[in-house]
Amino acid sequence: MPCRRIRIDHARKVENFASEILLVKDSLDASLMVDESSLENYKEGMELTSKQLTSVFEKLNIKEIDPKGEVFDPNFHEAMTMVESDQDANTVISVMQKGYTLNERVLRPALVTVAKEKN
């Protein structure tokens, strides 16, 4: 019986995730249905949808990895390039793509540029 309970718990978690994501999809669809809209209105709609998605992430314990200015950590960051910089060596100087964790486990590492010593 324990296996069946795990499957039921997993199915409920997937259902909850799907329900939350559908709300974000509904917001995107609604913004696309507006006939007369300005760029500013679209931007506002995208910002609201982004906030809604962030709320879903919080409920599901998905956290953003945005390490600019932090020391490079290969457990959470993937160095795409290293460039000479006035910053300390191994400092993340830019983030090309944010990373994410789920329940403290890395879903996707942040793609970063790391400082190296000047020659």
Side-chain angles (χ1 to χ4, degrees):
M1 281 300 187
C3 249
R4 183 162 192 237
R5 182 179 174 140
I6 290 171
R7 278 186 250 150
I8 291 170
D9 288 344
H10 178 72
R12 283 193 185 123
K13 288 178 183 179
V14 170
E15 277 183 35
N16 289 340
F17 173 76
S19 294
E20 295 291 337
I21 289 297
L22 287 176
L23 296 174
V24 177
K25 172 76 165 103
D26 291 342
S27 292
L28 288 170
D29 289 346
S31 69
L32 292 172
M33 293 176 66
V34 176
D35 288 333
E36 294 184 31
S37 186
S38 68
L39 182 58
E40 186 61 33
N41 288 344
Y42 275 118
K43 185 176 183 219
E44 287 174 13
M46 292 302 291
E47 288 171 348
L48 289 172
T49 303
S50 180
K51 286 179 185 178
Q52 192 175 30
L53 187 57
T54 298
S55 175
V56 170
F57 283 5
E58 288 172 2
K59 289 177 186 177
L60 300 172
N61 204 27
I62 296 172
K63 296 182 181 170
E64 204 173 73
I65 302 171
D66 190 6
K68 186 173 181 182
E70 296 177 7
V71 173
F72 176 75
D73 182 345
N75 296 307
F76 296 95
H77 317 140
E78 185 175 334
M80 302 306 291
T81 60
M82 292 186 79
V83 297
E84 291 181 354
S85 173
D86 292 330
Q87 295 191 35
D88 293 337
N90 294 323
T91 299
V92 174
I93 57 175
S94 69
V95 179
M96 295 172 215
Q97 185 178 65
K98 294 176 185 175
Y100 292 90
T101 61
L102 171 62
N103 298 322
E104 307 301 322
R105 293 186 61 206
V106 175
L107 280 174
R108 180 179 80 191
L111 304 181
V112 300
T113 300
V114 180
K116 67 179 180 179
E117 291 181 27
K118 285 186 174 182
N119 289 332

